[in-house]
C-alpha cells in the first residue's frame, strides 16, 4: 500500500500540461483576503528573497528571517558560473524538453520527472524576470544576451554575468524584497537564527528563533512557514560553502515530522582550489564555466614533478577528452570529479600535494587573446591569483574536487510542501529536481523558479483549502518548543569541556570525507556510523562553549549547528549504506562498470529515500517514493 504521507501530488495528464492545469485547479485566495494571512520565510538567498518578495507583492503579510546582517550576504551571492534557461537564443537545438532530458539524465535518473519538467518550463520566465529587474547579464556585441556551455549539455543555455552571476541575481531579488519591506508588506528580521519549528494541530504554525545580538529567544506565529535555508555541505567541515551555511533549520523541522529526502546525495565539484594546509576553514570554488575554455590534464607518467611548461604535449593526458570525446571537458560534475580522483590515485596528480590536476588556458589565450579570457573570467582569475599567488594567464590552474552542493534535503511534494502540512521548502533546502547529481548552473534556476513562480501559486492553494484556528505565540505549543530550545542552549553552555567546537567539526569532517565522500563502500560506511556516534558522545561530554547566551556568541551558534551535523552525518551514512548501487554523486565502490562508471540498480533503487525521525535513540524509518519514468527512460549514462 502506498505511503499516504509520501503522496507527491503529481498532477495527471501530459507532462507539458501538468503545471498549467495544476495552477488552474489550485484554489485561489481572494486579493482582499490575502491581507489576513501571515507567512514566515526563513532564509534570504535566491529562493527565500524571491519568495518573500513575491508573496509580499501578492498582498500576504510576510516575516522574513536571516542570520546574516543583510539579505545580500546569503550564500547565493557566491554562485559564479551562470543560470540555465531553455531560451534557445543560439539556435543550437535547445528546448524545454532538452533541458528536462539533460537534467533527468544528469541526475542519473533519480529525480521526479514532473518537477524537473516544470523547472525547465519555468526557466524561460526567470530570464525575462531578471532582465526586467536590471540584472546585467553578459551580452554580445549587438546587445543580445550571451550564453555559454556548461557540463552535461551539448547546447549553450547558460546565462551569466562574468563569474558573478549569483551576486547579480541576488541583488535583483534583494531589490524586489526591499521594495516590499518599504511598502510594509514584508518585515525583515536580520541576525535571527531559526532554532525550531512549532507545529500546532499537525500544521506548521510558527518558529522559535534566537536574536543573535542579544541572545533573546523569540517566538513567531504564522499560517504557513517557508524554509529556504540552503544546503548542508558544511557537515564535511571543508566545503565551498560559506562558513555560516548549516542544516539546523531543516534538521529541527525533520525532528518535528518533516521527512528528510536522499541525505546521501552530495555533489563534489570538480573545479576547486586544492586544500593547502590544516589551517584552512573552507575551500574556494573556481566556476565550472572555466571548463569551457580550460583544458584539463595530468602528466602521462606517474610521479612526473616537472613544471607544466616543461611537459610536452605528447606527454600530457587530456583524460576527459580522451575518455568522453562527445562532451570532453564539459562532462557533468560527478563524472569529472571521479575522473580527477582516479588519475590522482594512480599517482599522476600535480602540485606539492599530488592531489590536483591542471586546468590550462594556454590554448584559449592563444586562440582568443588574453583580453577575451579576461572579459569572460577576469574576476575568477583574480581570485585564483590572490589565493595561490600563481598567475593563471601564465601557468595552468591547479584544481581538485571538493564538497559543493547537496541534492538531498527535506522531502516535498509537487507543491513544495513537506510532510508537515503548511511547511514549504524551497531551493537547496529541499530534495527536489536534481536527483543524484546537479548539473551546473541549475541551482540558481531552481531557487528562483521555486521563489518567483511556484510557491506563490501552491501556498495560495494550501491557504485557500484549509481552515485556520487563531494561533498566537501564547499557545502552549510555542511555550513548549521555546523551553526545549532554551534547555539545549543551557546544555551546550554547561558542558565546559576541553575541546573547541572546531576540533569536533574537523574530526567529523574527516570521517565524512574519508568514508561518506567521493568513494563509499559498505565497510567504510559501517565504520563511519560507529565513529560518528562515538564522536558525538565525546562532543557532548567534552566540548567547551565559552560565553553566555545573553550576548553575541558565535561559539554557541557554531556548537548548535555542529551538534546537528553529527546527527545528519549519521543519517547520510545510513542512507548511503542502504543504497546498494552507484548513482550520480553517490559512488559505491562495489557497484561500478568495467570502465569505472556508476552502476545503477533501477529495479531496486529507483526511489526517493525519505527518512522519518523516530527519536534520538531510535533508528529513523525509511519510506520510499517510487520514481516512474514515462518520458526519459533510464539507461546506462554515457557522455562518450
Amino acid at each position: 500500500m502506498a505511503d499516504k504521507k509520501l503522496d507527491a501530488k503529481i498532477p495527471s495528464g501530459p507532462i507539458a500540461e501538468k503545471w498549467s492545469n495544476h495552477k488552474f485547479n489550485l484554489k485561489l485566495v481572494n486579493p482582499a483576503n490575502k491581507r489576513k494571512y501571515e507567512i514566515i520565510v526563513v532564509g534570504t538567498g535566491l529562493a527565500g528573497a524571491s519568495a518573500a518578495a513575491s508573496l509580499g507583492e501578492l498582498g500576504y503579510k510576510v516575516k522574513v528571517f536571516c542570520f546574516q546582517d543583510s539579505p545580500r550576504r546569503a550564500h547565493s551571492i557566491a554562485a559564479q558560473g551562470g543560470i540555465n534557461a531553455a531560451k534557445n537564443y543560439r539556435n543550437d537545438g535547445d528546448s524545454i524538453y532538452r533541458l528536462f532530458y539533460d537534467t533527468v539524465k544528469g541526475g542519473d535518473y533519480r529525480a521526479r520527472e514532473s518537477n524537473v519538467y516544470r523547472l525547465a518550463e519555468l526557466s524561460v520566465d526567470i530570464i525575462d524576470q531578471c532582465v526586467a529587474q536590471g540584472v546585467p547579464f553578459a551580452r554580445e556585441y549587438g546587445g543580445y544576451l550571451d550564453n555559454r556551455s556548461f557540463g552535461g549539455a551539448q547546447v549553450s543555455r547558460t546565462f551569466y554575468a562574468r563569474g558573478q552571476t549569483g551576486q547579480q541575481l541576488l541583488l535583483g531579488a534583494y531589490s524586489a524584497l526591499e521594495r516590499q519591506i518599504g511598502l510594509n508588506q514584508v518585515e525583515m528580521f536580520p541576525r535571527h537564527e531559526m532554532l525550531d519549528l512549532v507545529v500546532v494541530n499537525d500544521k506548521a504554525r510558527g518558529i522559535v528563533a534566537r536574536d543573535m545580538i542579544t541572545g533573546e529567544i523569540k517566538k513567531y506565529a504564522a499560517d504557513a512557514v517557508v524554509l529556504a535555508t540552503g544546503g548542508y555541505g558544511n557537515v564535511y567541515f571543508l566545503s565551498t560553502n560559506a562558513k555560516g551555511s548549516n542544516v539546523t533549520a531543516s534538521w529541527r523541522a525533520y525532528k518535528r515530522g518533516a521527512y528528510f529526502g536522499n541525505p546521501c546525495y552530495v555533489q563534489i565539484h570538480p573545479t576547486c582550489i586544492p586544500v593547502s594546509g590544516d589551517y584552512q576553514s573552507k575551500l574556494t570554488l573556481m566556476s565550472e564555466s572555466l571548463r569551457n575554455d580550460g583544458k584539463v590534464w595530468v602528466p602521462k607518467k606517474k610521479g612526473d614533478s616537472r613544471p607544466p611548461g616543461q611537459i610536452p604535449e605528447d606527454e600530457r593526458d587530456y583524460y576527459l577528452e580522451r575518455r568522453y570525446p562527445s562532451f570532453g571537458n564539459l562532462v557533468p560534475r560527478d563524472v569529472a570529479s571521479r575522473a580527477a580522483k582516479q588519475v590522482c590515485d594512480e599517482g599522476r596528480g600535480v602540485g606539492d600535494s599530488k592531489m590536483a590536476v591542471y586546468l590550462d588556458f594556454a590554448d584559449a589565450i592563444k586562440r582568443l587573446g588574453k583580453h577575451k579570457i579576461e572579459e569572460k573570467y577576469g574576476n575568477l582569475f583574480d581570485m585564483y591569483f590572490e589565493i595561490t599567488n600563481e598567475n593563471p594567464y601564465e601557468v595552468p590552474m591547479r584544481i581538485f574536487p571538493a564538497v559543493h552542493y547537496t541534492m538531498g534535503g527535506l522531502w516535498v511534494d509537487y507543491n513544495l510542501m513537506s510532510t508537515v502540512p503548511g511547511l514549504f521548502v524551497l531551493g537547496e533546502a529541499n530534495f527536489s529536481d536534481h536527483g543524484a547529481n546537479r548539473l551546473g548552473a541549475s541551482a540558481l534556476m531552481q531557487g528562483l523558479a521555486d521563489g518567483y513562480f511556484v510557491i506563490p501559486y501552491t501556498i495560495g492553494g494550501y491557504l485557500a483549502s484549509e481552515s485556520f484556528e487563531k494561533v498566537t505565540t501564547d499557545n502552549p505549543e510555542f511555550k513548549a518548543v521555546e523551553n526545549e530550545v532554551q534547555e539545549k542552549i543551557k546544555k551546550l553552555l554547561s558542558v565546559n569541556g576541553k575541546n573547541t567546537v572546531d576540533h569536533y567539526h574537523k574530526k567529523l569532517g574527516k570521517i565524512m570525507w574519508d568514508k561518506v565522500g567521493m568513494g563509499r563502500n559498505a565497510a567504510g560506511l559501517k565504520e563511519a556510523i560507529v565513529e560518528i556516534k562515538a564522536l558525538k558522545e565525546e562532543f557532548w561530554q567534552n566540548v567547551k562553549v565559552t560565553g553566555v547566551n545573553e550576548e553575541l556568541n558565535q561559539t554557541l551558534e557554531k556548537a548548535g549547528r555542529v551538534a546537528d551535523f553529527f546527527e545528519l552525518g549519521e543519517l547520510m551514512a545510513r542512507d548511503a549504506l542502504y543504497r546498494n548501487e552507484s548513482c550520480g554523486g553517490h559512488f559505491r565502490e562495489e557497484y561500478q562498470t568495467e570502465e569505472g562508471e556508476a552502476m545503477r540498480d533501477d529495479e531496486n533503487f529507483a526511489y526517493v529515500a525519505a527518512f522519518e525521525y523516530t527519536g534520538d535513540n531510535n533508528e529513523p524509518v525509511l519510506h520510499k517514493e517510487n520514481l516512474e519514468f514515462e518520458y526519459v527512460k533510464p539507461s546506462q549514462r554515457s557522455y562518450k
Side-chain angles (χ1 to χ4, degrees), residues 533 536 570 574 613-620:
K533 279 184 172 179
K536 174 182 152 188
E570 185 182 335
R574 285 190 188 282
Y613 174 74
T614 57
D616 284 345
N617 300 315
N618 302 322
E619 285 192 19

Side-chain angles (χ1 to χ4, degrees), residues 102 187 210 212 217 318-319 326 350 368 392 434 509 528 544:
D102 287 346
E187 188 178 1
R210 179 176 180 270
M212 295 163 70
I217 305 302
Y318 294 91
Y319 58 90
S326 292
V350 302
L368 301 170
H434 307 299
K544 186 170 187 69

Side-chain angles (χ1 to χ4, degrees), residues 405-444:
Y405 184 92
T406 50
M407 284 76 67
L410 294 182
W411 183 93
V412 291
D413 62 18
Y414 189 74
N415 295 318
L416 304 184
M417 190 162 76
S418 71
T419 47
V420 175
L423 176 66
F424 295 81
V425 192
L426 314 187
E428 191 178 357
N430 72 31
F431 88 97
S432 185
D433 297 7
H434 307 299
N437 172 62
R438 177 175 68 79
L439 291 185
S442 288
L444 308 186

Side-chain angles (χ1 to χ4, degrees), residues 420-543:
V420 175
L423 176 66
F424 295 81
V425 192
L426 314 187
E428 191 178 357
N430 72 31
F431 88 97
S432 185
D433 297 7
H434 307 299
N437 172 62
R438 177 175 68 79
L439 291 185
S442 288
L444 308 186
M445 177 173 62
Q446 187 209 344
L448 292 180
D450 287 356
Y452 282 136
F453 299 112
V454 180
I455 197 66
Y457 286 94
T458 60
I459 204 167
Y462 168 74
L463 295 172
S465 302
E466 298 285 332
S467 57
F468 293 89
E469 61 183 294
K470 183 161 180 61
V471 167
T472 71
T473 54
D474 293 328
N475 277 56
E477 290 88 349
F478 277 86
K479 188 62 182 170
V481 173
E482 180 188 28
N483 289 341
E484 286 182 42
V485 166
Q486 289 175 328
E487 282 305 310
K488 184 161 189 175
I489 289 171
K490 284 178 189 171
K491 189 177 175 185
L492 284 167
L493 288 165
S494 66
V495 176
N496 199 28
K498 295 179 180 176
N499 296 319
T500 65
V501 176
D502 275 355
H503 168 84
Y504 289 105
H505 196 179
K506 284 180 181 178
K507 283 195 163 189
L508 172 64
K510 180 160 175 51
I511 295 169
M512 294 298 295
W513 179 249
D514 289 347
K515 295 175 181 177
V516 201
M518 285 178 73
R520 306 160 178 187
N521 58 60
L525 291 166
K526 288 173 184 173
E527 289 168 8
I529 292 168
V530 173
E531 290 171 18
I532 292 167
K533 279 184 172 179
L535 190 62
K536 174 182 152 188
E537 194 173 327
E538 187 194 328
F539 170 88
W540 282 106
Q541 291 174 355
N542 211 16
V543 71

Side-chain angles (χ1 to χ4, degrees), residues 258-280:
Y259 290 5
F260 208 108
N262 295 335
C264 80
Y265 286 167
V266 176
Q267 178 157 84
I268 312 292
H269 197 293
T271 319
C272 299
I273 298 178
V275 176
S276 57
D278 291 338
Y279 58 84
Q280 273 186 275

Side-chain angles (χ1 to χ4, degrees), residues 193 195 246-248 251-252 488 492 501 539-540 545 554-566:
E193 181 169 25
L195 293 182
N246 65 85
V247 77
T248 290
W251 194 252
R252 306 289 169 88
K488 184 161 189 175
L492 284 167
V501 176
F539 170 88
W540 282 106
V545 181
Q554 291 184 312
T555 304
L556 176 61
E557 293 163 24
K558 281 199 292 186
R561 295 166 188 170
V562 172
D564 293 331
F565 278 142
F566 280 118

